[in-house]
Amino acid sequence: MSLYKNLFKQTAIYGLAMVLPRMLSFFLVRLYTNPDVMPNPAEYGDLTIVMSYMVFLNVLLSYGFETAFFRFYNSESDKKKVITTSTISIFWTSIIFLFVAMIFRKSIAHFANVDVQYITFSIWILVLDSIVVIPFSKLRANQRPIRYATIKIGNVLVNLALNFFFLLYLPKIAPSNPNGFFATIYRENFQVGYVFIANIIASLLTFIVLSPHYLKINWRIDKLLWKKMMNYGLPILFAGIAFAINEHFDKILLSDLLPATIAKSEVGTYAACYKLGLFMVLFRTAYTMGIEPFFFSHASNENAPQTYATITKYFVIFGSFISLSVIVFADLLKIILIPNPSYWSAMKVVPLIVFANFFLGIYTNLSVWYKLIDKTKIGAYISLVGAVVTLLFNFLLIPLISYMGSAIATIAAYGCMMLISYSLGKKEYPIPYDMKRIFGYLTLSILFSAISFYIPTIRENYYVKVLLLAIFLYFIYYSEKETLLRIIKRKAK
């Protein structure tokens, strides 16, 4: 049981590092959808499209080395060599990207149909974020979650404060003193630009805090180790690109496949309501941050398969409850998170997005087998299938049902990936999952979510919805009471 307590403790701290910043980012969503900041959903759509492109480049700049780092850090005897090799590799590829991208930034801006200044800002953000990938990974590998969480939270606090300053306060104080300093940095209708400037300052400060990492390495790369890490990491790169397609390419396709008169507005409303699925993303991300090092460090244990099976079951229990809770209270959350009713037309996508992210979390659990047996290419193939499903459904459905097609594509893609990984894993690395209970929790949460959200009379009746939530909790208790009683008795002793 101490094993699970340690996992829970680390997951909780890493969760704080990811959840609190994401919770604070809720304020950013509320800020961006504020009628006084971006009254037209098309403006938020512009920002969303640029950020979607950045996600793909983030994946390319890390090229699977984050996961490769954990794999070889735990398997190689010379850990300093792993740190040095991975750091040098990502540093120089980031510098090369910086020079090439800056040379062609005007062409990139023309292709993406955005202001060249936004491209310049994006390039710097991407580079600053990529060169701290290994320093952050080192903190996780060395089990220093407190420092990791402090830096991550600090980054978001700075970003949040600057966003509020640039978007809310600067427009008010600059005109009051036309000859003052604030008037010199203020530009009208530059909201998107200020968002990027806030990001760049926060990323720069994060790099400065982590820069001592670069002073401690000897700057000598181990070519043989680098080749092994590349061979391990490249399939993860392709999987990452596929994930980026699944999570973000729908916004780009919406802007391309819908009529120009409504495209950006549809992207803005969809992206805003998509954020309500962030609660499941928070849980999934926090869990992943704690579980990936755990999987590798316990792979040699004799009872590892049973441990993985138990962890997966409890992930499904918590995930099912969180999914149902978010959907039950979605109409209350939208008032808090999205103050402009102009964005609410896309609320119907929320249950699909919540469960799509839940399926992705289950897939993360199920994918442990191919990482442990060094067959990461299989993960790339599975992700490729997901990307194909995403693209196919988006191309077919967006012209017919707009962003609802994108939501259906997302849940279909992650559902396929989850099922494929489970089927292949049974043959390659058998894990004794408690499928009866896992399927029961998942099915009941989906059923209750559909009832509470898509039946109009029940959607407006919180007595019934809370009752459904209570019934689900009792079902969990009834199914798991033997385990719960054992834990209680152990604590009593």
Side-chain angles (χ1 to χ4, degrees), residues 189-449:
N189 301 318
F190 193 61
Q191 290 91 333
V192 175
Y194 284 132
V195 172
F196 287 119
I197 291 173
N199 272 272
I200 218 172
I201 294 172
S203 295
L204 177 61
L205 291 175
T206 299
F207 169 70
I208 291 172
V209 171
L210 291 170
S211 59
H213 168 86
Y214 282 88
L215 302 176
K216 296 177 182 178
I217 61 174
N218 58 22
W219 291 93
R220 292 182 182 179
I221 196 167
D222 185 310
K223 293 181 180 178
L224 181 60
L225 176 61
W226 181 81
K227 288 180 180 178
K228 290 194 293 184
M229 294 183 75
M230 286 295 292
N231 287 334
Y232 187 89
L234 282 178
I236 296 172
L237 164 63
F238 293 116
I241 292 173
F243 273 126
I245 291 173
N246 292 334
E247 292 205 28
H248 297 280
F249 206 63
D250 52 355
K251 287 86 173 177
I252 296 170
L253 288 177
L254 279 169
S255 67
D256 291 338
L257 297 177
L258 292 175
T261 53
I262 63 169
K264 290 185 177 179
S265 179
E266 293 285 273
V267 172
T269 55
Y270 173 62
C273 291
Y274 193 103
K275 291 292 186 180
L276 288 175
L278 194 59
F279 291 96
M280 176 49 62
V281 176
L282 298 179
F283 172 63
R284 189 198 78 211
T285 304
Y287 174 82
T288 302
M289 295 295 289
I291 203 63
E292 192 169 65
F294 177 87
F295 278 155
F296 287 120
S297 62
H298 290 82
S300 59
N301 291 0
E302 186 178 340
N303 63 338
Q306 182 58 56
T307 300
Y308 300 152
T310 303
I311 290 170
T312 300
K313 184 181 73 170
Y314 284 103
F315 174 85
V316 172
I317 289 174
F318 284 109
S320 297
F321 174 71
I322 292 171
S323 299
L324 180 57
S325 299
V326 170
I327 293 165
V328 162
F329 297 107
D331 287 317
L332 296 178
L333 293 172
K334 76 180 181 185
I335 299 171
I336 300 169
L337 184 63
I338 310 168
N340 189 345
S342 300
Y343 291 86
W344 293 354
S345 58
M347 278 297 295
K348 57 188 175 182
V349 307
V350 171
L352 298 178
I353 298 304
V354 169
F355 276 101
N357 280 289
F358 186 24
F359 289 171
L360 180 57
I362 297 173
Y363 168 76
T364 300
N365 279 274
L366 300 177
S367 66
V368 61
W369 65 270
Y370 67 72
K371 293 179 180 179
L372 293 177
I373 63 176
D374 291 347
K375 290 188 177 181
T376 52
K377 289 182 180 179
I378 295 176
Y381 297 147
I382 296 173
S383 299
L384 182 61
V385 171
V388 170
V389 171
T390 296
L391 294 174
L392 181 63
F393 275 65
N394 271 292
F395 275 110
L396 290 175
L397 298 179
I398 284 176
L400 299 175
I401 52 177
S402 186
Y403 45 68
M404 194 64 180
S406 295
I408 292 171
T410 304
I411 194 170
Y414 291 146
C416 285
M417 291 168 59
M418 176 180 67
L419 294 173
I420 292 171
S421 183
Y422 172 69
S423 299
L424 295 178
K426 285 196 299 184
K427 301 175 183 177
E428 298 287 341
Y429 190 93
I431 296 175
Y433 296 115
D434 188 349
M435 291 307 300
K436 182 178 178 181
R437 292 188 181 181
I438 288 174
F439 183 75
Y441 298 135
L442 186 58
T443 302
L444 194 62
S445 64
I446 292 173
L447 177 63
F448 282 3
S449 295

Side-chain angles (χ1 to χ4, degrees), residues 53 57 99-120 123:
Y53 278 113
L57 292 171
F99 280 102
V100 173
M102 290 296 284
I103 290 171
F104 293 102
R105 66 185 184 278
K106 291 184 179 179
S107 300
I108 298 170
H110 178 73
F111 172 78
N113 193 27
V114 296
D115 193 306
V116 68
Q117 290 182 90
Y118 302 161
I119 297 299
T120 303
I123 291 168

Side-chain angles (χ1 to χ4, degrees), residues 133-153:
V133 166
I134 299 303
F136 272 127
S137 298
K138 180 185 172 185
L139 291 177
R140 289 171 59 195
N142 289 337
Q143 298 188 10
R144 298 187 63 188
I146 300 295
R147 179 168 170 77
Y148 178 95
T150 301
I151 298 172
K152 284 285 186 180
I153 293 170

Side-chain angles (χ1 to χ4, degrees), residues 24 27-28 31-32 153-170 194 198-199 201-202:
L24 293 173
F27 292 108
L28 291 180
L31 176 63
Y32 298 154
I153 293 170
N155 173 285
V156 175
L157 287 174
V158 170
N159 190 12
L160 184 68
L162 290 173
N163 267 274
F164 273 91
F165 171 74
F166 285 132
L167 298 179
L168 281 185
Y169 298 108
L170 185 60
Y194 284 132
N199 272 272
I201 294 172

